């Protein structure tokens, strides 16, 4: 079922751009505030979504319509809300709408309800809007959600504070994510900021004959995929975290020139790899992996340090290493990532907002005991799988931050 976009009272949908403005990806200055929710399944609205992404100006892969569509599962809808103000400011928010088919006990629903979420890795509205404009945006979103029977939303916010807008819902702090400060750093500064053990491993790798190789186009996929596949199988990662050639080529098309594969090679053989995604003046270590036979060596460290150097060279003020495999502060992968900076822990929040409180409580009511013992949100999706279909996307007890780094 297609969800129509609507305008809140007193606002106008932004259909009024002339052909020239549309071709250039710009909109004329509105005479009033306009709000639209664009459906990625509609060709015209998809085009407007792509134009709005360009205007957002941050080159953020994780909110690009192609990426959001690729992350949506069967029955889910990639969508984008755009609000334009008379001063030319816009707020851009991409998300996925999914049907709610069961309550918290796994009972099948006989009514049409939905909720929304932002795909991995990070999401949330993009803008340079004022707090008052952000408030107006969320008021419009709440009205739209009520009209469309959207029960709740969950957002995975970036740990880069300057990229987060004010949020009217609950901010739940999860285990920290690691951010490496690169602002004003030279290559020597990057290496000097490594913890002693990591710096030693990096130098041993180079002294032992390993080399760094950087590939900035799609040709890097050929060497990257076997390392990724072996890493996923070794970690017993959920199938949805495995990526394939088509997915990686989609990323290159969506953000051309913003992808770099950093390989640690030995005798011409790639042993470890980091896939770096650039956006404006920051970057993310998106996917990484190491061949099993190379785990006891220094290839993983060499590739990760190489990714930092690539990010610095590209002008990143900070390089985000994300978090661990599990949403815990003592996670082994999180501990490893802490070695690449002296002070990298940053607050990582999920944003939780309930649009239909009475409906939310009704969906959660059949499993109040489990709800009291867990911070899982939305609580009605924490039910264990059933033979007639799961109530939620993952196993019971898996929190919003859990297993988010299975791609690494």
């Amino acid at each position: 079922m297609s969800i129509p976009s609507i305008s809140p009272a007193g606002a106008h949908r932004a259909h009024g751009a002339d052909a020239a403005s549309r071709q250039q990806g710009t909109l004329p200055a509105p005479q009033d505030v306009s709000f639209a929710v664009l459906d990625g399944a509609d060709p015209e609205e998809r085009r407007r979504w792509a134009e709005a992404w360009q205007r957002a100006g941050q080159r953020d892969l994780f909110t690009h319509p192609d990426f959001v569509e690729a992350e949506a599962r069967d029955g889910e809808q990639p969508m984008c809300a755009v609000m334009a103000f008379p001063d030319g400011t816009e707020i851009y928010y991409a998300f996925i709408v999914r049907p709610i088919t069961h309550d918290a006990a796994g009972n099948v629903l006989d009514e049409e309800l939905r909720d929304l979420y932002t795909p991995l890795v990070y999401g949330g509205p993009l803008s340079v809007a004022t707090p008052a404009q952000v408030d107006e945006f969320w008021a419009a979103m709440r009205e739209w959600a009520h009209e469309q029977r959207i029960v709740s939303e969950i957002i995975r916010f970036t740990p880069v504070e300057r990229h987060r807008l004010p949020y009217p819902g609950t901010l739940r702090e999860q285990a920290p994510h690691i951010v490496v400060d690169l602002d004003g750093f030279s290559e020597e500064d990057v290496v000097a900021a490594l913890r002693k053990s990591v710096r030693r491993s990096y130098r041993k790798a180079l002294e032992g004959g390993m080399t760094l190789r950087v590939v900035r186009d799609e040709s890097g996929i050929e060497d990257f995929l076997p390392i990724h596949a072996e890493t996923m199988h070794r970690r017993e990662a959920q199938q949805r975290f495995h990526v394939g050639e088509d997915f990686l080529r989609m990323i290159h098309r969506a953000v051309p020139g913003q992808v770099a594969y950093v390989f640690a090679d030995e005798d011409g053989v790639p042993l470890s790899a980091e896939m770096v995604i650039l956006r404006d003046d920051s970057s993310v270590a998106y996917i990484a992996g190491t061949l099993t036979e190379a785990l006891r060596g220094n290839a993983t460290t060499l590739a990760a340090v190489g990714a930092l150097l690539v990010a610095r060279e590209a002008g990143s003020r900070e390089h985000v290493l994300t978090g661990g495999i599990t949403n815990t502060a003592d996670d082994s992968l999180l501990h490893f990532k802490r070695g690449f900076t002296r002070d990298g822990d940053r607050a990582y929040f999920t944003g939780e907002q309930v649009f239909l409180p009475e409906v939310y409580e009704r969906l959660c009511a059949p499993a109040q005991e489990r709800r009291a013992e867990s911070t899982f949100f939305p609580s009605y999706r924490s039910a264990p799988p059933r033979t007639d279909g799961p109530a939620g996307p993952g196993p019971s007890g898996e929190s919003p931050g859990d297993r988010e780094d299975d791609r690494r």
Side-chain angles (χ1 to χ4, degrees):
M1 174 179 292
S2 176
I3 302 176
S5 52
I6 66 166
S7 298
H12 304 284
R13 294 189 61 192
H15 279 303
D18 57 32
S21 295
R22 286 177 172 173
Q23 289 175 0
Q24 296 171 6
T26 60
L27 288 173
Q31 299 304 308
D32 197 355
V33 174
S34 64
F35 176 78
V37 177
L38 307 174
D39 186 345
D42 180 279
E44 169 62 15
E45 295 193 7
R46 173 64 171 267
R47 182 187 63 78
R48 293 172 57 206
W49 179 352
E51 291 176 352
W53 181 85
Q54 290 285 353
R55 292 194 304 272
Q58 299 188 32
R59 302 191 304 160
D60 178 30
L61 167 67
F62 308 120
T63 62
H64 189 283
D66 291 351
F67 183 87
V68 178
E69 179 183 51
E71 288 289 297
R73 305 183 198 180
D74 291 343
E76 299 181 347
Q77 290 180 266
M79 307 194 81
C80 175
V82 182
M83 178 171 266
F85 296 88
D87 65 358
T89 300
E90 285 191 347
I91 298 178
Y92 170 98
Y93 177 34
F95 50 85
I96 297 172
V97 173
R98 57 187 172 181
I100 305 171
T101 57
H102 298 69
D103 67 15
N107 301 310
V108 178
L109 300 181
D110 59 2
E111 58 184 321
E112 290 191 5
L113 297 171
R114 308 170 183 85
D115 56 18
L116 64 86
Y117 69 98
T118 58
L120 296 173
V121 175
Y122 302 120
L126 304 178
S127 186
V128 293
T130 67
Q133 290 172 327
V134 174
D135 288 345
E136 192 165 354
F137 170 79
W138 283 117
M141 276 295 298
R142 284 192 292 272
E143 182 170 341
W144 176 80
H146 277 259
E147 291 284 342
Q148 301 303 322
R149 303 291 287 168
I150 306 290
V151 177
S152 68
E153 73 171 354
I154 183 163
I155 301 173
R156 299 172 176 91
F157 283 107
T158 173
V160 179
E161 186 174 2
R162 61 193 171 87
H163 288 157
R164 295 197 303 264
L165 294 182
Y167 186 63
T170 298
L171 287 174
R172 187 182 301 278
E173 186 167 0
Q174 309 287 346
H177 281 198
I178 307 302
V179 178
V180 181
D181 184 13
L182 299 174
D183 199 11
F185 275 32
S186 66
E187 181 174 330
E188 292 74 18
D189 293 333
V190 172
V191 175
L194 303 172
R195 292 185 184 269
K196 186 176 180 180
S197 60
V198 174
R199 191 164 60 250
R200 185 187 306 116
S201 294
Y202 170 66
R203 288 172 175 164
K204 279 186 177 180
L206 294 176
E207 291 166 0
M210 287 189 194
T211 57
L212 280 170
R213 175 169 56 96
V214 181
V215 181
R216 301 178 185 275
D217 58 32
E218 295 182 42
S219 65
I221 294 175
E222 182 178 357
D223 283 341
F224 182 81
L225 277 180
I227 297 174
H228 165 74
E230 184 171 323
T231 302
M232 294 295 96
H233 287 300
R234 184 176 66 245
R235 291 187 180 277
E236 299 181 343
Q238 297 177 31
Q239 186 59 41
R240 69 189 182 97
F241 291 110
H242 292 241
V243 303
E245 180 178 348
D246 289 345
F247 183 83
L248 295 181
R249 293 194 185 281
M250 174 277 295
I251 290 176
H252 282 273
R253 291 193 302 270
V255 287
Q258 292 176 227
V259 180
Y261 302 95
V262 183
F263 295 100
D265 293 350
E266 186 171 56
D267 297 327
V269 178
L271 302 180
S272 185
E274 290 257 353
M275 182 180 179
V276 176
I277 304 294
L278 304 168
R279 64 166 282 185
D280 267 6
D281 54 359
S282 65
S283 54
V284 175
Y286 179 49
I287 312 175
T290 301
L291 296 180
T292 304
E293 65 185 35
L295 287 175
R296 294 186 179 276
N298 299 303
T300 304
T301 297
L302 179 61
V305 175
L308 286 174
L309 298 177
V310 167
R312 185 207 68 83
E313 183 182 349
S316 293
R317 290 171 56 182
E318 61 275 302
H319 184 59
V320 182
L321 301 183
T322 71
I325 297 175
T326 60
N327 188 34
T328 59
D330 59 353
D331 180 272
S332 60
L333 181 57
L334 186 66
H335 176 75
F336 172 76
K337 292 177 179 181
R338 285 187 170 116
F340 293 86
T341 178
R342 305 295 176 87
D343 181 27
D345 281 28
R346 296 291 183 273
Y348 167 58
F349 299 99
T350 51
E352 305 169 2
Q353 189 165 191
V354 175
F355 298 119
L356 301 176
E358 293 182 1
V359 177
Y360 185 86
E361 292 302 321
R362 174 161 48 83
L363 292 175
C364 297
Q368 286 296 340
E369 182 176 346
R370 185 171 63 247
R371 180 183 181 186
E373 298 172 349
S374 172
T375 60
F376 189 98
F377 185 88
S379 182
Y380 53 79
R381 286 189 178 269
S382 66
R386 295 167 51 119
T387 56
D388 58 352
S396 177
E398 183 177 288
S399 70
D402 279 354
R403 303 193 66 79
E404 68 177 22
D405 283 308
D406 266 337
R407 284 182 175 171
R408 305 193 191 303

